[in-house]
């Protein structure tokens, strides 16, 4: 679905203004709706951006590393609360759990030992692990949010040890190829934008090195294009089940830590950053490597996202990430997603479902039960405000799958003649009239 002309003008103006004010040689921002890159706004000529030009992803790579970890969890080969020691013994930080590492809640220090890893040639996994001691723990887990690149180097090591496959090969086989992300690569592949630092006084460019970060690659090595990153944004909005179950991706979006406890506008799930903008919550990640910045933000309920690249390291300070969030909010404000069209049910519900449909009462509050013929679920509406969905779980028993009653049990209560007379939801009993005692 194309953007309206006025929305296009607003997005283009945001990008042009940011490129000029941010003094970045090359800038692009793409809008993704319903799985398609619907608009690409570009500015700058060094080089001129297009949808197939590679830039460096930086820490957006972490979202893909986290996806691989969740695949292994779903396959039963690890648990999120496994201590690191179970998979990488002898590090000195082995009490930290995989969940804590994924959500930056472990208290682990930000960087590995040695030179600044983003700008230096990387070492192998054994060398990385040799530099990890108990001194790398800054403070106890869950005391505060503390972003850690080192955590994702260690998670990459866990993946390699469990699967016996190098991280880059595993990512290509499990994520990039199934999603058709053929221009997302470990090393730069022409055509790609060179990355620069812009001199603060005379606007000249210094080209930055393009390093192989070795065992730290799972934290930020990848290169990609607007077209490919749009595919990743579409996946985060609506995952391909062959790559990751929808419920698992939703789990990744639940906060593990809040990054700004004073205002509660940002946090981190299992590998995904969370951004609150007014009443909306976006998921995604920022990225930076010497000479490059990248941004990714997705509003999952509307299947709308924004991706961005720039080839100037100095643009990172409040720059591209803020621009991506402003752009996404602009699009959603100007063109809110339309509700799915109503479709009549092809078949009537089973008799046992028909018995529980309609209105029930608890303490004067109404509960309306409807039937979703597509999914086979009961849909419970409380006061028209709270919506929970229940999947069948045996005779007269339904298991909460979403909403406030997620994980709870709905039981149908019957009288001596077998007639359904009440619903028990987590011990709260709903009757057919408001006059009956619960």
């Amino acid at each position: 679905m194309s953007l309206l002309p006025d929305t296009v003008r607003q997005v283009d103006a945001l990008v042009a203004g940011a490129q000029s004010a941010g003094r970045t040689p090359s800038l692009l921002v793409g809008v993704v709706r319903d799985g398609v890159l619907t608009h690409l706004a570009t500015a700058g000529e060094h080089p001129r951006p297009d949808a197939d030009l590679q830039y460096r992803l930086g820490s957006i790579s972490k979202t893909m590393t986290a996806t691989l970890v969740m695949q292994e969890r779903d396959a039963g080969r690890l648990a999120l609360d496994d201590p690191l020691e179970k998979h990488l013994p002898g590090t000195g930080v082995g009490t930290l759990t995989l969940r804590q590492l994924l959500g930056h809640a472990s208290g682990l220090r930000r960087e590995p030992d040695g030179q600044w890893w983003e700008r230096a040639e990387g070492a192998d996994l054994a060398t990385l692990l040799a530099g990890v001691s108990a001194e790398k723990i800054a403070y106890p887990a869950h005391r505060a949010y503390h972003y850690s690149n080192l955590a994702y180097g260690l998670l990459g090591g866990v993946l390699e040890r469990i699967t016996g496959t190098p991280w880059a090969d595993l990512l290509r086989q499990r994520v990039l190829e199934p999603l058709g992300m053929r221009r997302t690569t470990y090393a730069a592949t022409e055509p790609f934008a060179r990355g620069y630092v812009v001199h603060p006084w005379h606007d000249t460019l210094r080209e930055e090195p393009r390093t192989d970060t070795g065992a730290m690659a799972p934290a930020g090595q990848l290169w990609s294009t607007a077209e490919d990153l749009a595919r990743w944004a579409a996946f985060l909005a609506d995952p391909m089940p062959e790559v990751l179950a929808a419920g698992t991706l939703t789990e990744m979006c639940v906060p593990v830590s809040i990054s700004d406890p004073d205002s509660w506008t940002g946090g981190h799930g299992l590998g995904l950053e969370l951004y609150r903008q007014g009443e909306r919550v976006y998921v995604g990640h920022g990225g930076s490597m010497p000479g490059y910045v990248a941004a990714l933000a997705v509003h999952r309920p509307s299947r709308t996202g924004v991706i961005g690249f720039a080839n100037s390291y100095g643009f990172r300070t409040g720059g591209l990430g803020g621009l991506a969030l402003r752009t996404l909010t602009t699009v959603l404000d100007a063109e809110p997603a339309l509700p799915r069209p109503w479709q009549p049910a092809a078949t009537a519900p089973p008799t046992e479902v028909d018995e529980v449909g309609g209105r029930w009462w608890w303490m004067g509050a109404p509960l309306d039960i409807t039937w979703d013929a597509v999914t086979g679920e009961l849909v419970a509406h409380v006061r028209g405000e709270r919506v929970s969905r229940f999947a069948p779980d045996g005779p007269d028993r339904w298991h909460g799958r979403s909403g406030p009653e997620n994980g709870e049990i709905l039981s149908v209560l019957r009288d001596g003649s077998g007639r359904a007379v009440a619903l028990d939801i987590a011990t709260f009993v709903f009757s057919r009239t408001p006059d009956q005692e619960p």
Side-chain angles (χ1 to χ4, degrees):
M1 181 176 70
S2 300
L3 298 181
L4 298 173
D6 187 58
T7 310
V8 168
R9 282 192 292 272
Q10 291 184 65
V11 171
D12 288 350
L14 283 172
V15 172
Q19 189 271 338
S20 178
R23 300 162 60 245
T24 189
S26 175
L27 172 65
L28 67 81
V29 170
V31 178
V32 184
R33 300 211 88 166
D34 293 321
V36 178
L37 181 62
T38 59
H39 180 64
L40 191 63
T42 65
E45 300 287 333
H46 301 282
R48 178 176 295 180
D50 62 51
D52 191 51
L53 184 68
Q54 274 194 344
Y55 296 78
R56 207 158 190 181
L57 278 183
S59 288
I60 295 175
S61 305
K62 291 181 174 73
T63 65
M64 300 180 194
T65 298
T67 297
L68 292 174
V69 172
M70 299 306 288
Q71 287 179 345
E72 291 298 293
R73 193 286 303 272
D74 286 357
R77 289 185 282 269
L78 59 80
L80 294 184
D81 293 318
D82 283 349
L84 183 66
E85 181 74 13
K86 180 174 180 179
H87 305 289
L88 291 178
T91 64
V93 298
T95 59
L96 304 180
T97 70
L98 305 186
R99 186 189 306 275
Q100 292 163 355
L101 296 172
L102 284 166
H104 300 291
S106 68
L108 193 66
R109 295 190 188 278
R110 190 175 63 241
E111 314 295 1
D113 282 349
Q115 295 178 295
W116 179 25
W117 69 272
E118 294 180 357
R119 205 171 185 271
E121 291 299 319
D124 60 15
L125 179 60
T127 303
L128 175 68
L129 297 180
V132 180
S133 67
E135 293 181 354
K136 282 294 184 183
I137 300 178
Y139 39 71
H142 296 291
R143 175 173 291 181
Y145 170 86
H146 186 69
Y147 190 89
S148 176
N149 288 306
L150 175 57
Y152 275 76
L154 296 176
L155 288 168
V158 169
L159 289 166
E160 184 170 330
R161 288 284 175 86
I162 289 176
T163 65
T165 304
W167 170 83
D169 294 338
L170 193 68
L171 181 69
R172 186 183 68 255
Q173 296 163 12
R174 297 268 198 89
V175 174
L176 302 181
E177 289 180 354
L179 294 179
M181 297 172 64
R182 296 176 182 84
R183 285 279 289 146
T184 301
T185 55
Y186 185 90
T189 307
E190 294 284 11
F192 67 89
R194 275 60 182 169
Y196 301 103
V197 170
V198 180
H199 196 282
W201 300 323
H202 47 65
D203 289 346
T204 57
L205 302 180
R206 184 187 74 217
E207 187 173 345
E208 285 295 286
R210 296 176 287 277
T211 54
D212 179 343
T213 55
M216 285 296 294
Q221 174 68 33
L222 295 174
W223 296 72
S224 192
T225 66
E227 193 70 48
D228 269 16
L229 193 54
R231 289 188 174 93
W232 187 241
F235 172 83
L236 294 180
D238 188 11
M240 179 188 295
E242 295 86 348
V243 175
L244 197 69
T248 300
L249 184 52
T250 298
E251 182 184 356
M252 294 172 70
C253 300
V254 175
V256 174
S257 53
I258 299 297
S259 56
D260 57 345
D262 293 332
S263 59
W264 288 63
T265 59
H268 217 101
L270 297 169
L272 292 172
E273 290 180 340
L274 312 173
Y275 317 103
R276 174 172 287 284
Q277 299 282 300
E279 294 303 308
R280 300 186 185 107
V281 174
Y282 305 149
V283 304
H285 215 289
S288 68
M289 291 292 277
Y292 301 91
V293 289
L296 167 66
V298 175
H299 184 240
R300 299 193 72 212
S302 66
R303 292 163 48 91
T304 305
V306 165
I307 56 95
F309 291 118
N311 64 336
S312 170
Y313 194 66
F315 192 65
R316 69 194 300 261
T317 307
L320 188 58
L323 174 62
L325 297 179
R326 288 194 301 275
T327 301
L328 183 50
T329 299
T330 295
V331 170
L332 292 173
D333 286 347
E335 301 183 30
L338 298 176
R340 289 188 302 173
W342 174 84
Q343 297 286 346
T347 59
T351 301
E352 60 270 23
V353 171
D354 199 36
E355 285 184 285
V356 301
R359 176 154 291 188
W360 300 82
W361 296 88
W362 176 82
M363 301 293 286
L367 169 73
D368 293 316
I369 299 290
T370 61
W371 165 250
D372 187 331
V374 175
T375 64
E377 296 173 327
L378 295 181
V379 185
H381 308 258
V382 179
R383 294 193 182 94
E385 300 168 357
R386 299 164 51 203
V387 178
S388 294
R389 302 179 75 91
F390 294 84
D393 193 32
D396 287 339
R397 180 181 167 94
W398 300 76
H399 191 275
R401 296 292 298 275
S402 68
E405 310 306 332
N406 189 15
E408 302 295 345
I409 299 298
L410 182 156
S411 299
V412 181
L413 306 183
R414 299 182 180 275
D415 63 15
S417 65
R419 183 171 59 96
V421 294
L423 303 180
D424 182 330
I425 305 177
T427 76
F428 294 86
V429 177
F430 293 78
S431 56
R432 272 300 190 189
T433 73
D435 301 316
Q436 291 177 266
E437 290 285 343

